[in-house]
Amino acid sequence: MRSPVLALALVGLVFGARQPGWKDHTEYVYRVDGRSLTSLNELADQYSGIFIKAKLHVSPRSDGKLQAWISESQYAQIHSQMPNGWNSEIPESQLNFKQLGLSKKPFQIISQNGLIKSLVVEKDVANWEANVIKSIVSQFQLDLQGKRAVESHATTLPNDEKMEAVFQTMEDTVTGETETNYDIHQLPEYLVDSQPWLVPQQQLQGHGKIYEVLKSKNYTTNRAMPAYQYGFGEVQEGKPTGNRMGDFLTRSALSRVVLTGQLSKYTIQSSQTVNKIIINPTLNGKQRGSAVSSLNMTLVEVKSQTKQPQEMSSPIDIGNLVYTYEHPFASSNKVQRKLQGKDLASGESEEHTPRGKRSLLQSIKKSILGEHTEANSEEQVQYQMRPQMEESPESPLLPYYMGYHGKSIKANSDFDVKETAQRMSREISDDLAEPDQILTQSTLSKYAMLVSLVRLMNQKEIRAVTQQLYKPEQQQQQGSWMTFRDAVSEAGTGPAFLAIEEWISTKKAEKGEAAELVASMANSVRVPTEEYMQKFFSLTQNPEVMSQEQLNETSVLSFTRLLNKVYAKKTESQNQFPASSFRSFYTKDGKDFVKTVVIPYLSQQLDEAVMQADSRKIHVAIRALGSVGDKKVLEAFEPYLEGQKQASQYQRMLMILCLDKLVESNPTTAQAVMYRIYQNVGEVPEVRVAAVYQLMRTNPSAQMLQRMAQSTNVDAQEDVNAAVKSAIESLSQLEAAESQS
C-alpha cells in the first residue's frame, strides 16, 4: 500500500511540473488591498464595512510547487460617507488599521499550467485564516490554456502564436466552483500609459505583450457554492445562490488580471476581483442596497532568491480554493485535510496527459482515494452536520456563529450568552414601556439581536434563562419574560422548540398565548430535520395540547403548513431553508413520513370528526389535510367527494378549496381532478364552481379553456357557466408571460 505522503508528493510533481507564471529563484511581492462594504446607496452615500491590506510573498520551489506567506496583514473598520461610491479613495490617515492576526506561516500552492489544484498549509493554522489565504490565492487562479474549457461553437482557445481567446470553464475560487467566462485580449498601449498601476513592473515585459484577462462568474451554474440562505421559498424566479433571484437579488463577479509576456512564460502584474450583490429590501420599492467586495493585488517588487524556501513543519493538504465552513462550537477550529476526489478523478487531467503519466495518475488515485474514485456529486460538496434537537445548528457564514476568530461568540470567555440575553430582554421591556422612545433606543435592532442570540443557545441555556425571567409572582418582571418568550418563538431552532414544548407541559404558556408561540415557531423554523418534524408531529398529539381547543387547532394547522414548505416542492424547500449548508431537507424519508404517518392520522381525525358531527374539527381536519399539498390527500377526500361517505355540501366544497396547496405543488394531478369534477353535471353547483376556480390555477391549455367555453352553451347550471366565463375573461386580461400562452 502506498503512503499518502508519497502520493501527495507525486501529486505535487505531476501538477507542479510547469509554472509558466513564475521564474525560478525569484521572490514576487504583491501588495494586497481589499474592502467589503454595504450600503443603501440609492438613499445615502453612507457605507459600512472593512478595509484590509497586506503583502503576499510568492516563490517557486524546486519541486514545482509555489511557496508563499502573508506579511503586514491589517484591517480597519469604516462607517463613513463615500460620495464617489464604494470605490472612493480613502486616505490611510482616516483609517485606524489594526493587526489582522494572520500567523505569517508559509503555505504552498499546487498548480498545473497556472490552474491551482490545492493548497497546503501548516496543520495548526486556523480555518478562518485558511479561508483568508484562499481568498487571496484565488486571484492567481488562471486557466490560460483552456484546459477545462467547455466545448462550444463560440470557443476560441489560446495558443503559442495567439493568446487572444474566449471560452467557458468550470473553475474553483473561494466563492465556489462555478462556470467562468474567459475573455483574453491584448491591452492597448494608450490604456497602459493612462493607467500605469495596471502594469507596475513593465520592465518584466521583455519581448512579450501586455494582456488583459477578464473573468466573469456565472453563479447559477455551479458544482459547489458555499452559502447560507433562508426565507426565499415564495420567490419563484431563480435561486439564492444564483446570479439573480426575481426582483430581490442580483449577483455578479468580475475579475481583471493583467499579464505581461506570452502564454508559455508570463508575469501576473495585477489582479482585481469585484463581487457585487444588489438587493431590493422591500421588493416593490425602487431603492436598492448593495454589498460590494473588492480585492486588488499589485506586483510591487521582484527580487532574486538565493536559497530554497524553508520547509513546512506539519503540512496538510486542505484541497481546492473553495471556502470551507467553520465549526462554531468546536473546541478547536483548525484546518482539516480535504482530499479532492473530484479533481483527481476528473477526465480533464487525463485528456491532456500522456499515456505514461495517465498510469501514474491512476496509481495516485488508488493510493489516496481507493478503487472507487467516482463519487456522487453531492458528496463532493461540503455540508454541516445536522443538529441534534437539544443543540444549536452550526450555521455557517452568520456573524454570531463565526464572529470570534472563526467560532461562535460564545467562545469568548468575556461573553456570557445567558446573562446577555437576560439583560437585553430587560432593556427591550423597559424600552417598550415608553413607546415614543422605541426609535431612538433602536429597540427593534435590539430585539433582532436577541433573537440571533437565542439561536446560539442550547436547551440548557434557554432553560437557565427561563428560570431567571419566568417569575409570575413578580409583576415588574413580566415584560422581560414576554420579550424573551417571543424571541425564543422566532429563533427557529431545536432547543427553542424543546423550550416551548416544555413551557406548554408546565403551563408556563397555555391557551391563546401558547397558540401564538406555536404559530410563530412554525413560521420561523430554520433547520427542519426529520427529527424536528417528528417532534412537532408528536407535539400536536400531546394531551396537554389536544385539551386546549385553540392551541390544538393552531398546532395542527401550523405543522401541516410547515410540512408543505419542507416536502411539497423541492425547489421551494431548498430556497426556503439552508440546503446549501445542511443538505436538502426535501428527503425521501421525510416524504414517506408524510405519506405513511401524517396523512393517515389526519384522515382518521377527519373520519372521527364526521362521525361526531363536530363541524369545527371537520373544518380543521380538512384544512390541515389540504395544507400538506401531497396528492395522497386525494385518497382522504375521495370517499366524501364521491358520495361514499357522508358529508355536507359545504364540507365537500371546502375540500375542493383546500386543495389549493396541491394545485401549487402538483398542478398536473390537480388539473385532472378538478376538470373531472367540473365535467360532472350531476354535481352540485357550489362544488363545481370551486373546481373551476382551482382549475384556473393549474395553467390549463388553450384547448381546455376552449372546451369549457363551448360547454357553457349546453350546461344547465348558470352559476357554473358564470364562473367559467368570469375566469376565462380574467385570464385573458393577465399580463404575466406564463399566462399569455
Side-chain angles (χ1 to χ4, degrees):
M1 180 177 177
R2 291 183 177 87
S3 164
V5 175
L6 173 61
L8 288 175
L10 291 173
V11 173
L13 289 174
V14 173
F15 287 155
R18 295 186 61 201
Q19 296 290 358
W22 313 93
K23 184 180 178 181
D24 292 338
H25 311 297
T26 305
E27 179 180 348
Y28 298 80
V29 183
Y30 289 85
R31 186 181 73 245
V32 180
D33 297 291
R35 58 180 66 186
S36 184
L37 302 168
T38 60
S39 174
L40 292 172
N41 50 297
E42 293 192 8
L43 295 178
D45 294 326
Q46 192 81 21
Y47 285 81
S48 179
I50 64 169
F51 282 63
I52 66 167
K53 66 177 182 177
K55 284 186 177 180
L56 175 69
H57 306 255
V58 184
S59 301
R61 292 170 50 92
S62 59
D63 58 6
K65 302 175 185 177
L66 297 175
Q67 185 143 319
W69 62 288
I70 298 171
S71 66
E72 302 177 29
S73 59
Q74 296 178 300
Y75 77 99
Q77 295 175 303
I78 185 172
H79 185 79
S80 174
Q81 295 283 340
M82 300 177 70
N84 296 323
W86 67 267
N87 205 24
S88 300
E89 289 292 333
I90 304 293
E92 284 200 17
S93 59
Q94 298 181 18
L95 297 172
N96 181 23
F97 276 99
K98 303 176 182 178
Q99 295 300 313
L100 183 57
L102 297 183
S103 65
K104 299 183 181 180
K105 293 184 177 181
F107 57 91
Q108 295 175 357
I109 305 169
I110 300 176
S111 64
Q112 180 186 24
N113 295 315
L115 196 58
I116 297 172
K117 300 291 184 177
S118 64
L119 289 180
V120 178
V121 303
E122 296 284 8
K123 69 176 184 180
D124 58 349
V125 167
N127 189 63
W128 72 266
E129 180 177 345
N131 283 325
V132 172
I133 292 173
K134 288 181 178 183
S135 68
I136 293 174
V137 174
S138 291
Q139 301 293 65
F140 292 145
Q141 183 68 292
L142 289 172
D143 187 8
L144 295 182
Q145 298 183 23
K147 293 295 185 181
R148 291 183 177 177
V150 179
E151 291 187 8
S152 168
H153 67 278
T155 295
T156 304
L157 295 178
N159 54 52
D160 293 334
E161 298 179 358
K162 186 178 181 182
M163 198 168 175
E164 285 82 357
V166 176
F167 55 91
Q168 290 181 344
T169 71
M170 289 298 293
E171 184 172 282
D172 59 274
T173 63
V174 70
T175 56
E177 185 177 2
T178 62
E179 180 183 270
T180 305
N181 300 300
Y182 270 76
D183 183 355
I184 307 174
H185 54 263
Q186 189 173 342
L187 202 63
E189 290 187 9
Y190 75 87
L191 195 58
V192 177
D193 294 338
S194 62
Q195 301 178 30
W197 59 86
L198 294 176
V199 191
Q201 306 295 324
Q202 194 167 354
Q203 73 275 8
L204 300 176
Q205 179 179 347
H207 298 292
K209 298 178 180 179
I210 302 175
Y211 292 95
E212 180 181 53
V213 182
L214 297 179
K215 302 195 302 178
S216 59
K217 280 183 170 289
N218 177 14
Y219 287 106
T220 302
T221 303
N222 67 77
R223 290 178 186 158
M225 180 61 63
Y228 181 91
Q229 77 271 9
Y230 171 77
F232 298 100
E234 295 182 0
V235 181
Q236 300 295 320
E237 181 185 351
K239 56 183 181 179
T241 56
N243 286 357
R244 183 181 184 88
M245 189 167 197
D247 295 327
F248 177 74
L249 178 149
T250 58
R251 183 180 185 184
S252 64
L254 178 66
S255 297
R256 184 188 192 189
V257 185
V258 178
L259 316 170
T260 54
Q262 50 193 353
L263 184 63
S264 59
K265 201 65 179 177
Y266 56 84
T267 300
I268 300 175
Q269 296 276 350
S270 63
S271 177
Q272 182 183 29
T273 297
V274 178
N275 194 319
K276 292 184 179 180
I277 299 177
I278 308 300
I279 304 171
N280 185 354
T282 60
L283 288 181
N284 55 2
K286 295 183 178 180
Q287 291 81 14
R288 297 180 183 273
S290 65
V292 181
S293 295
S294 171
L295 190 62
N296 190 18
M297 295 177 56
T298 306
L299 183 61
V300 294
E301 188 178 3
V302 179
K303 52 188 178 181
S304 297
Q305 189 175 54
T306 57
K307 58 181 180 179
Q308 179 78 359
Q310 69 181 46
E311 293 298 324
M312 299 173 62
S313 59
S314 301
I316 179 172
D317 191 321
I318 60 172
N320 63 15
L321 296 176
V322 177
Y323 181 96
T324 301
Y325 290 148
E326 311 285 352
H327 295 289
F329 305 116
S331 57
S332 173
N333 202 17
K334 305 300 183 184
V335 293
Q336 296 181 357
R337 186 180 303 277
K338 183 170 68 172
L339 295 178
Q340 289 300 116
K342 175 181 53 179
D343 287 337
L344 292 174
S346 67
E348 178 272 329
S349 297
E350 297 181 10
E351 289 174 2
H352 301 281
T353 306
R355 184 177 300 274
K357 289 187 178 180
R358 262 186 223 179
S359 60
L360 177 60
L361 281 173
Q362 292 292 345
S363 66
I364 293 171
K365 293 176 191 177
K366 292 179 181 179
S367 297
I368 303 177
L369 303 174
E371 297 293 333
H372 303 288
T373 58
E374 295 298 327
N376 184 286
S377 60
E378 188 179 57
E379 294 175 354
Q380 309 287 353
V381 183
Q382 59 174 334
Y383 293 106
Q384 299 291 72
M385 292 291 292
R386 293 284 179 89
Q388 299 296 316
M389 281 295 292
E390 64 274 8
E391 299 296 335
S392 172
E394 292 191 338
S395 302
L397 302 171
L398 301 184
Y400 286 7
Y401 283 86
M402 55 169 292
Y404 184 73
H405 303 293
K407 294 194 287 186
S408 157
I409 57 174
K410 289 166 61 176
N412 185 348
S413 58
D414 296 328
F415 177 84
D416 188 314
V417 68
K418 301 188 294 294
E419 290 184 4
T420 305
Q422 294 175 46
R423 175 177 53 79
M424 294 190 68
S425 296
R426 294 188 179 102
E427 286 183 9
I428 294 169
S429 176
D430 293 341
D431 292 347
L432 294 177
E434 301 180 24
D436 57 334
Q437 297 297 316
I438 289 178
L439 288 178
T440 58
Q441 296 297 325
S442 301
T443 306
L444 293 179
S445 296
K446 290 179 185 177
Y447 183 74
M449 292 172 64
L450 176 60
V451 173
S452 297
L453 285 179
V454 173
R455 291 194 183 110
L456 289 174
M457 300 169 73
N458 57 36
Q459 183 183 16
K460 292 181 179 178
E461 290 166 335
I462 294 179
R463 182 179 291 158
V465 177
T466 299
Q467 292 172 350
Q468 292 297 318
L469 295 181
Y470 181 76
K471 301 191 175 176
E473 70 281 0
Q474 298 180 13
Q475 191 64 32
Q476 69 274 15
Q477 188 111 325
Q478 286 302 298
S480 303
W481 160 246
M482 289 189 290
T483 299
F484 179 72
R485 175 203 66 187
D486 292 347
V488 170
S489 74
E490 294 186 30
T493 63
F497 173 91
L498 295 177
I500 292 174
E501 182 182 46
E502 184 176 309
W503 295 345
I504 293 173
S505 298
T506 57
K507 298 187 183 301
K508 288 184 175 67
E510 53 186 344
K511 299 181 180 178
E513 177 190 10
E516 291 179 5
L517 290 177
V518 170
S520 177
M521 176 185 73
N523 285 329
S524 306
V525 176
R526 293 293 179 112
V527 187
T529 61
E530 291 161 17
E531 181 186 10
Y532 188 104
M533 301 304 288
Q534 291 167 5
K535 286 279 188 179
F536 202 153
F537 181 58
S538 297
L539 178 66
T540 66
Q541 300 170 296
N542 186 317
E544 192 66 41
V545 172
M546 298 185 74
S547 65
Q548 303 176 52
E549 186 175 68
Q550 185 179 356
L551 175 57
N552 180 39
E553 295 170 356
T554 301
S555 63
V556 171
L557 295 177
S558 298
F559 171 66
T560 53
R561 282 195 289 267
L562 179 59
L563 278 179
N564 180 267
K565 290 180 181 179
V566 180
Y567 299 125
K569 296 180 71 174
K570 183 176 182 179
T571 301
E572 290 186 11
S573 176
Q574 292 180 341
N575 287 349
Q576 178 68 24
F577 304 106
S580 300
S581 306
F582 295 96
R583 282 192 171 91
S584 176
F585 298 97
Y586 182 88
T587 62
K588 181 180 183 302
D589 289 344
K591 291 183 289 181
D592 289 344
F593 167 67
V594 173
K595 293 176 181 179
T596 61
V597 178
V598 177
I599 293 178
Y601 171 77
L602 293 176
S603 180
Q604 180 184 354
Q605 294 296 106
L606 173 60
D607 293 342
E608 292 177 359
V610 170
M611 291 178 62
Q612 297 168 6
D614 190 327
S615 295
R616 187 173 183 124
K617 288 185 177 179
I618 292 172
H619 298 164
V620 170
I622 291 173
R623 179 63 271 181
L625 280 163
S627 294
V628 174
D630 190 277
K631 62 182 180 181
K632 191 173 178 63
V633 169
L634 293 172
E635 297 178 12
F637 287 164
E638 186 176 15
Y640 296 99
L641 296 175
E642 296 288 345
Q644 299 169 9
K645 293 183 179 180
Q646 188 66 33
S648 70
Q649 301 302 344
Y650 173 78
Q651 291 164 356
R652 296 174 70 247
M653 180 190 71
L654 185 61
M655 292 178 188
I656 300 299
L657 294 176
C658 288
L659 287 173
D660 53 343
K661 296 300 181 181
L662 178 64
V663 169
E664 295 173 2
S665 62
N666 198 331
T668 302
T669 299
Q671 185 179 96
V673 172
M674 297 305 166
Y675 190 69
R676 188 169 71 248
I677 293 173
Y678 157 71
Q679 282 187 313
N680 182 8
V681 294
E683 183 61 85
V684 296
E686 293 82 1
V687 173
R688 292 185 67 200
V689 168
V692 167
Y693 287 127
Q694 294 287 34
L695 180 62
M696 295 302 163
R697 300 176 60 236
T698 65
N699 194 22
S701 65
Q703 292 80 4
M704 179 176 287
L705 294 175
Q706 187 176 21
R707 290 198 302 271
M708 294 175 68
Q710 291 172 346
S711 296
T712 60
N713 296 320
V714 295
D715 200 315
Q717 294 182 349
E718 291 303 322
D719 291 345
V720 177
N721 293 336
V724 171
K725 179 182 178 185
S726 174
I728 293 177
E729 288 179 346
S730 297
L731 282 178
S732 67
Q733 296 172 6
L734 292 179
E735 297 181 359
E738 63 271 18
S739 299
Q740 291 296 324
S741 60

